[in-house]
Amino acid sequence: MKVLGITTQQEVYIGSRDRNFRINEFLIISDEAQGDLIGEIVEAKTFNRFIPLDMGGDFIDGSVIESLKVMGYDVSNETIYIGKLRLLKEAQYPVLTGSEVRIPKFEEVEKLLISTEPSRGLVLGVIKNTDDLTLNMDEKYLNLCKTFDEGEYFKQKDVPFILDYKSMHEYPHIGVFGGSGSGKSFGLRVVLEEIMQKQVPTVVLDPHYEMDFSVKSPAGADIDYGESFKCLQVGVDVGIKFEELSVGDIKNLLNTSSPLTDSMNNTVDILFVRGSNYYSFFNKLQNLMEAQEVGSVEKIEEKIFYAETKEDEEKWTDRKNLYQKYNATCPNQSVRGILWRLVKLFNEGIFNRDITELVDGLKVGKLIVIQGSTRIIQVFATYLLNKLYYQRREYRESVYRNEREDFFPPFIIVTDEAHNFAPKGFETPSKSILREIAQEGRKYGVFLILATQRPTLLDETITAQLNTKFIFRTVRASDIDTIREETDIATDEAKRLPYLTTGDVFISSAKAGRTSYVRIRASHTQTPHKENPFDELALIKSRDNEDFLKYISEFMPISTAVDSLDIIKSIYERHSVSYTIDQFNLKLKELEKNGLIEVEETFLGAQYKLKKN
Ligand SMILES: Nc1ncnc2c1ncn2[C@@H]1O[C@H](COP(=O)(O)OP(=O)(O)OP(=O)(O)O)[C@@H](O)[C@H]1O
């Protein structure tokens, strides 16, 4: 392998007669003047005599062809492999043409490729095309993971990719970008498995109900995550304690239910009293609304006068007071709107629980998965993240002040569909807290892992704070542009983004100052949605058919014209399963079509029989 053509300090062409180049493999140029220079292949081509070299287009120029000839290559008759090698560190001078190129030894690239020990980092996969480098690789880096491809598991044969999560302290926050089906959720699962192994307290917002780690995959038979995570459903296991809400919180919550008008905001300011419980706020709104509907103090007094019971009298007196106090400042429309939003939240069960179980889990280093519909998670997350972030902040600040507050651990927040929580261009309640954490979280040990299919729709301030970025296959041009702006990904790599294989990813790290090309390892667990819905359909159908066959076997042969009604009755009595005549006949036809029974046409119509075998 030799350096060809006119060279620069950043990039050179190299050629070989017998070795094909692979994208992102590492090679060393032995430059006589400058010593060893390490580079990475960013483009590779093969030429042979059927495709003359001068058709190379803009990939190679005339100087490359000329130097191939000078070095003794027969450009019109031989197969020649050519690669573009980008130096990892700019050379002092342009590289010497004709320099020898060789495969590095592991220790020559170890520092470049491996950022920390496996025990101190997250083993996320393997660095692609590095199998040549593993020849004398340290034992501690061997057999750390498996990869999964086309239904088969493979032993690790490349250098492992280990993410130094502790460096988040300096380079906080991770972004995970990729189009649908690119391997983003799978990648997130692997990251979370590793986080669980390190027992880092983590909150995962999971509107898709997919982050469950109880089902093992063949690659994780000996690892059990059962005790390391907990799924909690909003409104069932976790919720918001109404008494703890500030006026800001309640406005945020009502707003997520449906946006509040200025007048509604104002009305909440006037009516809400911190520390009151749900029912007292509800009653206040309800009573004021009813008083407003009566219309005037005189009319309410009439109601008091004609009240039939003491209770009624008190109720209307109360309403009169509210009316007198608030009618002028709180329009009926706004009171009504707030009440409607409040009841909607209440009906979702969000005020039924608190976050004690969640906080207890975090304190022992668990991964807490919050499940619920996208909307309810948005409502809850705003409250939750504010609460957790300020608790952690308060704890850290008390440490600075040498005071003793109860320990509250550092933690990570993970969410898919992050553009819904922090959209570009308009304000949402969850966005302000995420933005604050993106900018200030590092100081207090609160970190974000945000995944999205649409980086272009994610708030720019937040995107700019994501120091490590995982970029899976991305096809949309606008998203590729955003990725190019927001990462150090090179033009050559950006061009490859639409063609990346599912599960392959560019990991661009501010700490390393470079991008690695990685295959995400096989996950130890499986998503609960793994079953193909069409297989599920077939399975249910065949179970259904088997059951039906069991019910009818003893009545065979069956003449539909005479027997159906009696058999349907018997099946109902014995098995409590009911069929209409049409359903029963259709089921018989289906069984016959699937070859489970036989049919014969008789003068009485169709007669079904068990199959002879
Ligand atoms: N690293 C990998 N190794 C093996 N298989 C993978 C890998 N990554 C993804 N897959 C498989 O590819 C499929 C799609 O992956 P995944 O569900 O993660 O896509 P996605 O990008 O999250 O899509 P969406 O955003 O639509 O959910 C899954 O069936 C998964 O099993």
Side-chain angles (χ1 to χ4, degrees):
M1 294 182 281
K2 283 202 161 58
V3 175
L4 310 169
I6 297 174
T7 66
T8 68
Q9 287 149 267
Q10 298 86 21
E11 252 174 24
V12 299
Y13 288 99
I14 56 175
S16 166
R17 213 175 248 130
D18 43 29
R19 190 176 185 286
N20 212 339
F21 298 108
R22 290 179 301 173
I23 296 227
N24 292 96
E25 71 172 321
F26 291 89
L27 294 169
I28 288 186
I29 303 171
S30 309
D31 181 300
E32 271 180 26
Q34 305 183 76
D36 285 351
L37 303 168
I38 300 190
E40 192 175 359
I41 292 285
V42 290
E43 217 173 325
K45 289 220 166 132
T46 306
F47 291 99
N48 67 27
R49 66 197 157 97
F50 301 111
I51 306 163
L53 258 182
D54 38 14
M55 280 173 57
D58 58 2
F59 174 57
I60 49 170
D61 55 28
S63 73
V64 172
I65 300 174
E66 275 318 305
S67 63
L68 277 169
K69 286 183 189 159
V70 172
M71 285 173 202
Y73 291 89
D74 180 357
V75 290
S76 340
N77 288 312
E78 285 184 289
T79 294
I80 299 170
Y81 304 107
I82 295 187
K84 196 201 268 183
L85 190 77
R86 192 175 58 216
L87 299 186
L88 296 190
K89 234 170 79 194
E90 192 179 63
Q92 240 177 329
Y93 314 102
V95 179
L96 220 57
T97 305
S99 298
E100 284 291 338
V101 179
R102 65 176 171 84
I103 296 167
K105 293 198 200 78
F106 178 70
E107 54 276 19
E108 289 175 303
V109 285
E110 179 174 354
K111 283 223 162 63
L112 266 174
L113 301 186
I114 296 195
S115 58
T116 186
E117 301 276 309
S119 60
R120 298 171 54 85
L122 314 182
V123 180
L124 299 182
V126 296
I127 306 177
K128 288 195 63 138
N129 300 333
T130 52
D131 47 346
D132 282 348
L133 307 175
T134 57
L135 209 60
N136 38 14
M137 186 163 78
D138 213 317
E139 207 153 290
K140 65 184 174 199
Y141 300 127
L142 294 172
N143 294 322
L144 294 177
C145 63
K146 289 198 172 84
T147 54
F148 181 64
D149 216 349
E150 310 220 338
E152 253 189 272
Y153 288 90
F154 296 93
K155 279 174 92 174
Q156 176 197 331
K157 56 181 178 38
D158 291 286
V159 176
F161 178 84
I162 307 171
L163 186 82
D164 180 9
Y165 72 100
K166 292 194 179 167
S167 72
M168 277 218 274
H169 181 51
E170 275 173 86
Y171 300 95
H173 316 308
I174 297 175
V176 183
F177 306 145
S180 178
S182 61
K184 189 168 41 70
S185 309
F186 192 99
L188 213 49
R189 169 172 292 276
V190 168
V191 171
L192 297 180
E193 286 174 358
E194 291 289 322
I195 286 179
M196 281 191 275
Q197 288 190 35
K198 298 291 181 281
Q199 297 182 359
V200 180
T202 301
V203 178
V204 184
L205 308 178
D206 179 25
H208 301 316
Y209 291 84
E210 61 185 353
M211 289 306 167
D212 187 296
F213 302 87
S214 14
V215 185
K216 292 182 182 190
S217 85
D222 48 352
I223 305 176
D224 190 18
Y225 292 102
E227 290 297 310
S228 310
F229 80 100
K230 196 156 189 65
C231 291
L232 299 176
Q233 275 206 45
V234 184
V236 178
D237 309 299
V238 279
I240 297 170
K241 214 166 169 187
F242 196 86
E243 290 80 349
E244 286 181 5
L245 293 176
S246 67
V247 66
D249 292 335
I250 186 81
K251 280 193 207 165
N252 278 342
L253 285 172
L254 295 167
N255 205 32
T256 27
S257 205
S258 178
L260 292 178
T261 60
D262 285 348
S263 159
M264 287 182 198
N265 264 307
N266 209 16
T267 303
V268 175
D269 280 331
I270 296 168
L271 295 180
F272 182 76
V273 180
R274 192 174 183 156
S276 62
N277 66 27
Y278 170 79
Y279 292 102
S280 73
F281 188 48
F282 170 84
N283 285 336
K284 198 176 196 178
L285 288 163
Q286 172 93 5
N287 287 335
L288 177 58
M289 189 183 81
E290 283 180 17
Q292 286 174 326
E293 268 153 26
V294 171
S296 67
V297 174
E298 294 72 40
K299 284 186 183 160
I300 300 172
E301 281 173 345
E302 227 170 87
K303 295 241 175 213
I304 298 171
F305 186 77
Y306 290 112
E308 285 180 3
T309 61
K310 186 100 187 101
E311 217 181 13
D312 248 13
E313 190 187 324
E314 277 171 13
K315 211 162 72 183
W316 282 107
T317 312
D318 244 14
R319 289 179 187 173
K320 182 181 142 194
N321 291 339
L322 284 169
Y323 186 84
Q324 284 175 320
K325 208 162 162 192
Y326 299 119
N327 184 48
T329 45
C330 305
N332 178 253
Q333 280 285 346
S334 303
V335 176
R336 196 179 265 281
I338 295 167
L339 190 62
W340 175 81
R341 286 165 176 76
L342 186 72
V343 170
K344 191 168 166 210
L345 286 172
F346 181 79
N347 288 343
E348 282 167 321
I350 200 157
F351 299 129
N352 286 350
R353 293 270 174 276
D354 60 16
I355 55 169
T356 314
E357 193 177 354
L358 187 152
V359 171
D360 288 349
L362 280 185
K363 284 187 173 167
V364 294
K366 282 198 188 200
L367 182 103
I368 305 292
V369 183
I370 308 288
Q371 298 181 321
S373 67
T374 306
R375 209 191 67 74
I376 193 126
I377 288 196
Q378 269 186 26
V379 175
F380 181 65
T382 310
Y383 164 81
L384 177 73
L385 299 186
N386 270 300
K387 184 120 188 121
L388 298 180
Y389 179 61
Y390 288 111
Q391 279 198 39
R392 170 65 189 166
R393 199 169 119 170
E394 218 138 86
Y395 168 72
R396 280 310 304 170
E397 284 174 353
S398 78
V399 173
Y400 294 137
R401 292 193 302 264
N402 271 331
E403 288 164 13
R404 270 183 171 256
E405 282 256 349
D406 269 357
F407 175 66
F408 197 88
F411 63 96
I412 300 178
I413 298 155
V414 184
T415 177
D416 202 348
E417 312 292 357
H419 60 273
N420 288 333
F421 293 92
K424 184 193 281 182
F426 58 96
E427 294 305 311
T428 66
S430 46
K431 175 159 136 180
S432 35
I433 179 68
L434 284 173
R435 211 189 240 182
E436 175 157 0
I437 297 174
Q439 290 173 317
E440 303 283 327
R442 189 179 76 90
K443 282 201 270 183
Y444 305 107
V446 180
F447 304 106
L448 299 172
I449 300 182
L450 302 181
T452 174
Q453 287 196 17
R454 301 298 322 276
T456 312
L457 304 184
L458 186 64
D459 178 68
E460 288 143 310
T461 317
I462 294 179
T463 312
Q465 301 292 331
L466 305 171
N467 277 275
T468 303
K469 290 176 181 105
F470 290 41
I471 307 147
F472 288 89
R473 182 174 60 243
T474 306
V475 178
R476 216 183 274 257
S478 58
D479 290 331
I480 296 180
D481 286 344
T482 307
I483 288 166
R484 281 173 68 160
E485 278 165 30
E486 298 293 343
T487 62
D488 61 355
I489 198 163
T491 316
D492 298 308
E493 284 149 353
K495 271 198 264 172
R496 286 162 54 201
L497 282 180
Y499 311 107
L500 287 188
T501 305
T502 301
D504 287 357
V505 60
F506 287 121
I507 301 182
S508 146
S509 136
K511 185 195 173 202
R514 51 183 300 274
T515 298
S516 305
Y517 183 35
V518 172
R519 170 91 190 150
I520 296 291
R521 69 160 168 77
S523 59
H524 299 145
T525 56
Q526 288 175 3
T527 153
H529 308 317
K530 187 147 178 58
E531 188 175 22
N532 183 314
F534 300 109
D535 291 343
E536 178 192 339
L537 195 65
L539 185 75
I540 297 283
K541 255 203 150 9
S542 84
R543 258 194 231 146
D544 225 36
N545 287 346
E546 272 171 35
D547 287 346
F548 188 69
L549 186 61
K550 228 171 26 200
Y551 304 153
I552 58 169
S553 297
E554 59 185 294
F555 303 107
M556 289 294 197
I558 298 171
S559 286
T560 45
V562 284
D563 300 331
S564 296
L565 257 181
D566 288 339
I567 300 174
I568 290 173
K569 214 169 136 219
S570 306
I571 294 178
Y572 181 71
E573 280 163 8
R574 283 177 220 183
H575 307 284
S576 310
V577 182
S578 62
Y579 297 97
T580 63
I581 292 203
D582 285 347
Q583 283 169 342
F584 184 77
N585 290 344
L586 273 174
K587 273 305 290 169
L588 285 169
K589 276 191 191 150
E590 192 183 331
L591 251 54
E592 190 265 324
K593 215 164 112 195
N594 285 307
L596 296 169
I597 55 177
E598 286 174 351
V599 66
E600 194 180 305
E601 287 303 325
T602 68
F603 71 99
L604 280 174
Q607 190 181 59
Y608 291 92
K609 297 183 202 162
L610 283 176
K611 220 169 169 171
K612 293 180 223 109
N613 14 330

